[in-house]
Amino acid sequence: MEMAEYSIRMANKENKADVLQGTLDLMVLQTLESLGALHGYAIAARLEQASAGALQLNMGTLYPGLMRLEQGGLIRGAWGVTDSNRRARYYADLQDELRAQLELATEDERRRTDSADGARRAALVRAGGTGEAVNAMHDQRAFRPVEELLQDVRYGLRTLRRSPVFTAVVVLSLALGTGANAAIFQLMNAVRLQSLPVDRPGELVSIGIDRHGQGRVGRGVHGRSIHTEPIWLALRAEQQAFTSLFAWGSSSWDLSTSGEYRPARGFYVSGNFFDALGVQPQAGRLLSEADDQKGCGSAAAVLSDGFWQSRYAADPAVVGRPIMLDRRPFEIIGVAPPGFFGVEVGRTFDVVIPMCAEPLVRGTDAGTGVPRFWWLDIMGRLKPGWTVERAAAHLAAISPGVFNATVSATYNAEQAASFKTFTFTATAAQTGVSNLRTDYATHLWVLLGATGLVLLITCANLANLMLARATAREREIAVRLAIGASRWRLVRQMVSESLLIAALGAIGGGLLTLAE
């Protein structure tokens, strides 16, 4: 790179003369000292004027010298606006600031010693000499690190713009690698890691049944049909470990009044479902114990935020209107808050109705009061001071009484004996419950490991590309070292370029993740 050579062209092209680099620096310093802050074009014009037209300067000649003087601490630069309302970088001599500080220091010494000459010498000694004072002033500028960082970023952008193929390959590779990993991690986070959007999720416990390898007896519906309604009632009456115990069962209904089938997903829930979870309504109110009384006639319904937005355009006046479920009217009493999907990961709802409405909707196929119809899931909130292990021991202790009291009369002797050996279990449910975790846990971990390996291979390939590019830039680095750049400054520049590439790749990966 020939930028290190400050060439000054003579106006007469037949008579060219080279001016020493230090001479141009001195002329620039003298100009700034006499005229104050100027931008680059004004400095060049002043030098041409002072030489009576003998010198002609362009910014390719002058700019490297200005940058070297600024980095050397002899001048300072700051962006400003010219008289023609254009943005330009202004340069000023640091000697002005030095003289002002020396005058203040001299005045201070004069008050102490009553000697003008002695005060001047003492001020210079305290400053450590003129050259050291300039360097100290330059190093102590508050915004120098920020300015140098911005310089590194701008230079990195220019370098990447000059190598579009390299930039495209590197950024796209990083974007694809990070985007794939981010997408898989989002899935893992939703299925296994993310806490439920409810109040104090760490207190929630899922209650299951250990069947000791005997298998379930009776009939179940789709979803997590773990308990029967008689088991739910008996357990609620016997347990002492939970401040509240609630149950739900999944279902779907037809929204149409006639004609084509329009499905709506939802849950039958116990009356304390929302209260136990600490969920607050977005509009209207949520179900309560009063809405879940045995034999309820005209039952209430709660809508999810997504269903309210898509079907009713978020109209708050929907509260109080009827909604048809399997050709039966239910009064809409409220809307659940945004982000609340229930407690079952991987299953959302459109409508929630109380468990007392299940016989009304299903008729003769209802599971309410049927000991051999498995259709409910149960969860509880621990009492203060109780742990999951203590709750599990308590549930195991009351299991024989509950299962002996709820055995179905339709079981044969073998089925009844097996049923009476069942034991309740307790599992922490901070992240909810889901069949996806048991069905696809291995697949998800393998997928996450594969995408991580792809990202590792991508990083290795990019490291090779960066090394090859650094080798191709040896001449540039040598020139920068020759004109006074420190090794630390070069390392910082390379790190800045690498971080810039990483940031662009991360942004691309984030955009890909959002688009999926």
Side-chain angles (χ1 to χ4, degrees):
M1 296 178 66
E2 299 302 324
M3 291 179 60
E5 300 293 335
Y6 293 107
S7 61
I8 302 182
R9 298 183 289 114
M10 304 299 293
N12 186 352
K13 295 184 179 179
E14 296 178 357
N15 259 326
K16 293 186 178 179
D18 292 333
V19 179
L20 292 176
Q21 190 178 78
T23 303
L24 178 59
D25 294 349
L26 182 59
M27 295 171 67
V28 170
L29 290 173
Q30 289 176 341
T31 301
L32 294 177
E33 182 179 358
S34 59
L35 299 180
L38 295 173
H39 54 74
Y41 181 79
I43 296 173
R46 176 58 181 168
L47 292 178
E48 291 179 4
Q49 181 184 7
S51 65
L55 299 177
Q56 283 188 343
L57 303 173
N58 56 41
M59 289 310 296
T61 301
L62 187 61
Y63 181 74
L66 293 173
M67 289 294 296
R68 191 174 64 82
L69 289 172
E70 183 179 359
Q71 292 177 359
L74 297 175
I75 63 175
R76 72 175 187 278
W79 289 99
V81 180
T82 66
D83 295 337
S84 59
N85 201 31
R86 297 183 63 180
R87 193 166 181 264
R89 190 167 181 82
Y90 282 79
Y91 299 91
D93 185 10
L94 281 176
Q95 299 291 340
D96 294 337
E97 296 182 31
L98 175 61
R99 279 192 293 272
Q101 290 194 13
L102 285 177
E103 289 299 330
L104 292 174
T106 300
E107 183 64 26
D108 184 49
E109 292 293 339
R110 184 182 293 113
R111 286 196 298 268
R112 293 181 182 179
T113 62
D114 293 328
S115 172
D117 293 338
R120 182 71 173 179
R121 285 195 300 271
L124 283 172
V125 169
R126 192 169 69 178
T130 305
E132 293 184 17
V134 171
N135 292 335
M137 287 170 58
H138 182 71
D139 291 337
Q140 290 173 6
R141 283 162 51 199
F143 296 101
R144 184 185 179 191
V146 177
E147 291 177 359
E148 291 181 350
L149 177 61
L150 292 177
Q151 289 176 2
D152 291 342
V153 171
R154 285 195 296 267
Y155 183 77
L157 288 172
R158 289 197 302 270
T159 304
L160 294 178
R161 189 169 62 246
R162 288 197 299 266
S163 306
V165 176
F166 170 81
T167 303
V169 170
V170 170
V171 172
L172 285 177
S173 298
L174 276 177
L176 291 174
T178 56
N181 275 269
I184 297 302
F185 180 77
Q186 281 185 341
L187 180 59
M188 289 289 295
N189 183 51
V191 174
R192 300 190 64 89
L193 305 176
Q194 190 174 27
S195 297
L196 290 173
V198 299
D199 185 36
R200 305 189 308 278
E203 298 176 358
L204 297 179
V205 172
S206 175
I207 299 174
I209 295 178
D210 183 357
R211 298 181 175 86
H212 307 291
Q214 301 297 320
R216 185 180 64 193
V217 293
R219 180 166 61 95
V221 297
H222 63 282
R224 291 175 52 86
S225 50
I226 295 177
H227 304 277
T228 67
E229 197 249 1
I231 291 176
W232 148 248
L233 295 177
L235 178 61
R236 184 174 62 175
E238 293 292 331
Q239 69 86 20
Q240 302 292 327
F242 306 99
T243 56
S244 55
L245 203 67
F246 56 92
W248 74 95
S250 59
S251 187
S252 63
W253 307 286
D254 182 10
L255 294 171
S256 65
T257 56
S258 62
E260 185 178 355
Y261 176 77
R262 289 185 293 170
R265 298 164 300 177
F267 300 117
Y268 295 102
V269 301
S270 59
N272 65 337
F273 180 81
F274 292 104
D275 182 63
L277 293 173
V279 176
Q280 301 300 319
Q282 181 177 190
R285 66 177 182 87
L286 303 178
L287 294 174
S288 65
E289 293 279 10
D291 297 304
D292 185 28
Q293 299 298 319
K294 189 173 182 179
C296 58
S298 179
V302 172
L303 309 181
S304 70
D305 174 72
F307 186 74
W308 180 52
Q309 297 275 355
S310 61
R311 185 173 176 83
Y312 295 99
D315 181 9
V318 72
V319 176
R321 295 180 188 173
I323 181 174
M324 300 299 291
L325 302 177
D326 285 351
R327 312 289 170 86
R328 292 175 177 81
F330 289 79
E331 180 186 357
I332 300 173
I333 63 170
V335 180
F340 179 73
F341 57 85
V343 293
E344 194 170 340
V345 178
R347 184 184 297 275
T348 59
F349 70 93
D350 298 320
V351 184
V352 168
I353 59 177
M355 284 171 52
C356 65
E358 192 256 352
L360 176 67
V361 177
R362 287 179 173 161
T364 57
D365 293 327
T368 300
V370 181
R372 62 191 310 272
F373 196 156
W374 305 76
W375 64 290
L376 293 177
D377 206 342
I378 301 175
M379 189 177 286
R381 184 177 291 278
L382 288 172
K383 287 182 176 180
W386 282 69
T387 63
V388 177
E389 292 75 15
R390 183 182 175 188
H394 169 69
L395 291 174
I398 65 173
S399 294
V402 171
F403 287 107
N404 274 282
T406 57
V407 64
S408 174
T410 61
Y411 292 165
N412 58 37
E414 182 181 356
Q415 290 174 333
S418 172
F419 182 84
K420 293 176 182 179
T421 64
F422 291 174
T423 307
F424 288 117
T425 62
T427 307
Q430 178 175 347
T431 58
V433 295
S434 176
N435 289 335
L436 295 175
R437 292 176 185 158
T438 55
D439 295 342
Y440 300 104
T442 303
H443 303 78
L444 288 174
W445 284 116
V446 170
L447 189 59
L448 184 62
T451 53
L453 182 61
V454 169
L455 182 60
L456 184 62
I457 295 173
T458 300
C459 291
N461 291 334
L462 293 183
N464 291 330
L465 287 175
M466 296 293 287
L467 287 174
R469 186 165 178 265
T471 303
R473 296 175 65 184
E474 284 183 352
R475 189 165 182 267
E476 172 195 342
I477 296 172
V479 170
R480 296 184 68 184
L481 286 172
I483 63 176
S486 66
R487 294 184 181 276
W488 164 243
R489 180 60 190 264
L490 291 179
V491 170
R492 189 174 61 189
Q493 176 64 55
M494 299 302 173
V495 171
S496 298
E497 291 181 20
S498 299
L499 292 177
L500 187 60
I501 291 173
L504 293 175
I507 292 173
L511 294 177
L512 289 176
T513 303
L514 293 176
E516 293 177 356

